């Protein structure tokens, strides 16, 4: 059975640090091995020049991966980031970002995912990331 967006939003609320919650992320959709989250535009997250900060995008990608892995496993379990690599393609200014994390391999102790971050207004790719997680429980 696929996890609901309400269940995934509860995972966010119950398991992430307050500063991550302040990003305002919300779960938009879920599949068996994927999750799409929305990172709402905020002037607080912009850097010099008005673009969304890379740190906010990386935190959003990391968070989306936890939700995607949880969806793939059918429930949340403790996990930790082992590796994250991010390539930034274009600045995002004044637009929400859709973060789609897709679990590409789910093992007993490790999970791998690819993440795309798309400027919702233009539809253009803003960044791409790949992550590796250790599954702890």
């Amino acid at each position: 059975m696929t996890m609901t967006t309400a269940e995934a939003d509860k995972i966010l609320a119950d398991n992430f640090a307050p500063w991550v919650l302040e990003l305002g992320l919300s779960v938009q959709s879920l599949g068996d091995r994927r999750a799409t989250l929305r990172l709402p535009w905020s002037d607080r997250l912009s850097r010099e020049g008005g673009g969304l900060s890379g740190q906010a995008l990386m935190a959003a990608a990391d968070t989306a991966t936890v939700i995607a892995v949880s969806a793939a496993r059918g429930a949340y379990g403790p996990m930790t980031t082992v590796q994250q690599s991010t390539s930034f393609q274009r600045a995002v200014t004044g637009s929400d970002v859709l973060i789609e994390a897709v679990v590409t391999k789910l093992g007993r102790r490790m999970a791998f995912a690819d993440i795309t971050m798309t400027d919702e207004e233009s539809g253009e790719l803003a960044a791409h990331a790949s992550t590796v997680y250790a599954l702890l429980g």
Side-chain angles (χ1 to χ4, degrees):
M1 185 167 123
T2 302
M3 182 181 294
T4 68
T5 57
E7 291 168 329
D9 279 330
K10 183 160 176 38
I11 291 169
L12 279 172
D14 292 348
N15 297 286
F16 287 87
W19 71 267
V20 174
L21 299 177
E22 289 177 18
L23 293 172
L25 293 164
S26 61
V27 180
Q28 300 298 293
S29 65
L30 295 166
D32 289 338
R33 288 181 169 246
R34 68 182 57 234
T36 302
L37 278 63
R38 175 183 302 278
L39 174 61
W41 171 259
S42 169
D43 288 331
R44 289 185 56 228
L45 299 177
S46 66
R47 58 179 175 70
E48 185 177 328
L52 188 63
S53 76
Q55 294 93 334
L57 286 169
M58 291 175 74
D62 192 64
T63 304
T65 302
V66 171
I67 300 301
V69 171
S70 296
R73 297 175 84 190
Y76 173 78
M79 63 187 90
T80 190
T81 311
V82 174
Q83 183 273 337
Q84 180 176 355
S85 175
T86 306
S87 298
F88 299 99
Q89 315 252 326
R90 68 181 304 276
V92 176
T93 55
S95 176
D96 290 0
V97 178
L98 297 176
I99 300 100
E100 183 180 36
V102 178
V103 176
T104 57
K105 180 175 175 149
L106 180 63
R108 288 182 37 220
R109 295 283 173 219
M110 303 290 281
F112 299 79
D114 284 325
I115 304 97
T116 54
M117 293 162 265
T118 305
D119 179 321
E120 185 180 41
E121 191 173 300
S122 71
E124 292 186 37
L125 183 66
H128 176 267
S130 62
T131 59
V132 180
Y133 273 76
L135 307 177
L136 305 174

